[in-house]
Amino acid sequence: MRDDTHTPFEQINRGFTATFQNGRLSVGLVVPIAQYGQSPVPDIEGHLERVQQAEQLGFKAVWLRDVPFNVPSFGDAGQLFDPFTYLGYLAAKTTDIALGVASIVLPLRHPAHVAKAAATADVLSGGRLILGVASGDRPEEYPAMNRNFDSRGEAFRESFEYIRAMGTTASQIENRFGKVDSSIDMLPRPSGSKLPLLITGSSRQSPDWIAQHGDGWMTYPRPGVAQDRVLHDWQTRLTTLRQVPKPVLQPLYIDLADDADESPSPIHLGFRSGYRPLVQYLRQLEKIGVNHVALNLRFNSKPVEATLDGLAEHVLPAFEQGT
């Protein structure tokens, strides 16, 4: 059952509200905003200037990643910096763009540290934090932290519940991560009603649990018909479980061609094309219920700064309010 009413999403904080509008699609960028092709480690020189350029051009969000260890066999070291430390830096150097994490690997961190660091970044950024959470997909990282990879699903769920409890005024919870009663609490509180927590993929939870507990869902790019079916199932599940509408985000690798009409040709988890086919594809995602696309320029051919300018000139206007 499609949600054609476009009932507004819950307004959790400034970044969440600016990034997600029901029935609309916005565009953000995966950090590092850099080309690094087949190299697993990016050159992040000029990283701050590119985030600031993205903000000035009107991209709605930038998305950091949580990669504790460089695992060469996985082939991507992310933005190198610890996401929470980097969030604090970006919070001080930007003013409006949403600061997202896609995603914190919950079983590898104590949830008290995640809750404290996330609320701090949220307050310091003026309510711009969107926190994606995941169970992790790099088995090598688990023994390095003496964590059990096979039980990461249970650890994810209990960590999620712990973080939720820390955002309340009378925190009470007891599970594998510890016991907190009403004699203590955690400060600062999130700037809004709670931390916006978006669940990534399945995170080894049931679809019903994700629909009931997440504030939104991060899923993966799929061929058109398959993605349409997945989004239809998501929206039907929310309705069946009497949940409010919740946004959906997906990433997309692109290589923006100079020829505006160049037809799409596949690259890893995305495609190379001119801007007109890209706009057409994003409009189709908007139609089936995707609310935000995080573009990844790792495999882009042109200089990054010129590509950002081109996207701002030719793609972002198609998804501005009222168009």
Side-chain angles (χ1 to χ4, degrees):
M1 181 183 301
R2 294 262 185 226
D3 174 21
D4 296 322
T5 64
H6 297 163
T7 302
F9 293 134
E10 183 179 8
Q11 296 191 8
I12 299 176
N13 67 13
R14 186 159 67 99
F16 188 89
T17 298
T19 303
F20 301 120
Q21 296 183 37
N22 201 356
R24 306 288 302 183
L25 181 142
S26 66
V27 180
L29 294 161
V30 175
V31 176
I33 307 171
Q35 302 156 287
Y36 52 112
Q38 301 307 314
S39 170
V41 180
D43 177 359
I44 57 172
E45 183 177 357
H47 62 94
L48 174 62
E49 289 77 10
R50 289 175 178 172
V51 171
Q52 292 173 326
Q53 181 185 0
E55 179 176 64
Q56 292 166 359
L57 292 172
F59 290 89
K60 290 298 184 183
V62 288
W63 297 92
L64 316 185
R65 296 165 63 196
D66 183 19
V67 185
F69 295 92
N70 178 29
V71 181
S73 61
F74 193 87
D76 193 346
Q79 81 275 335
L80 308 187
F81 299 136
D82 173 83
F84 286 118
T85 306
Y86 197 26
L87 281 170
Y89 182 66
L90 294 181
K93 297 292 186 180
T94 58
T95 57
D96 294 312
I97 197 167
L99 302 176
V101 185
S103 294
I104 293 296
V105 184
L106 290 188
L108 296 181
R109 297 173 182 261
H110 195 285
H113 294 150
V114 175
K116 180 87 174 182
T120 300
D122 186 47
V123 171
L124 291 177
S125 67
R128 291 186 284 140
L129 177 70
I130 304 172
L131 190 65
V133 291
S135 60
D137 56 7
R138 304 183 186 200
E140 297 87 346
E141 294 179 332
Y142 279 73
M145 296 190 182
N146 197 27
R147 304 296 169 89
N148 188 319
F149 186 71
D150 293 333
S151 64
R152 65 193 186 284
E154 294 85 349
F156 172 91
R157 189 165 54 253
E158 293 187 33
S159 179
F160 187 100
E161 293 165 351
Y162 191 111
I163 294 167
R164 276 287 195 237
M166 292 305 100
T168 63
T169 54
S171 307
Q172 293 190 50
I173 190 165
E174 182 174 3
N175 62 27
R176 76 175 67 192
F177 292 107
K179 178 181 179 180
V180 178
D181 60 31
S182 57
S183 65
I184 61 174
D185 63 358
M186 180 176 283
L187 298 175
R189 303 249 188 271
S191 65
S193 58
K194 58 184 175 181
L195 288 172
L197 299 178
L198 272 65
I199 297 170
T200 304
S202 75
S203 292
R204 303 185 72 79
Q205 310 304 313
S206 71
D208 281 2
W209 192 93
I210 294 169
Q212 289 174 311
H213 293 83
D215 296 311
W217 186 39
M218 296 185 183
T219 188
Y220 302 99
R222 300 176 181 84
V225 173
Q227 193 73 320
D228 188 12
R229 183 169 58 250
V230 167
L231 269 291
H232 182 270
D233 290 347
W234 164 255
Q235 293 157 359
T236 299
R237 194 175 306 279
L238 289 175
T239 301
T240 302
L241 296 171
R242 300 181 182 280
Q243 297 294 301
V244 299
K246 299 179 180 181
V248 172
L249 175 157
Q250 75 154 69
L252 180 70
Y253 285 83
I254 64 164
D255 180 4
L256 191 66
D258 287 328
D259 179 357
D261 295 305
E262 181 172 319
S263 299
S265 54
I267 63 174
H268 174 68
L269 295 176
F271 56 84
R272 169 185 168 86
S273 80
Y275 75 82
R276 289 197 179 98
L278 175 60
V279 168
Q280 184 178 13
Y281 176 77
L282 294 176
R283 284 203 180 282
Q284 182 60 28
L285 292 181
E286 182 179 58
K287 183 179 179 182
I288 66 175
V290 175
N291 304 107
H292 183 80
V293 171
L295 299 177
N296 193 321
L297 302 183
R298 176 179 178 177
F299 301 112
N300 198 62
S301 301
K302 295 198 305 183
V304 167
E305 289 79 4
T307 298
L308 293 179
D309 287 337
L311 291 168
E313 180 179 0
H314 300 298
V315 177
L316 298 191
F319 301 97
E320 291 176 350
Q321 187 77 28
T323 59

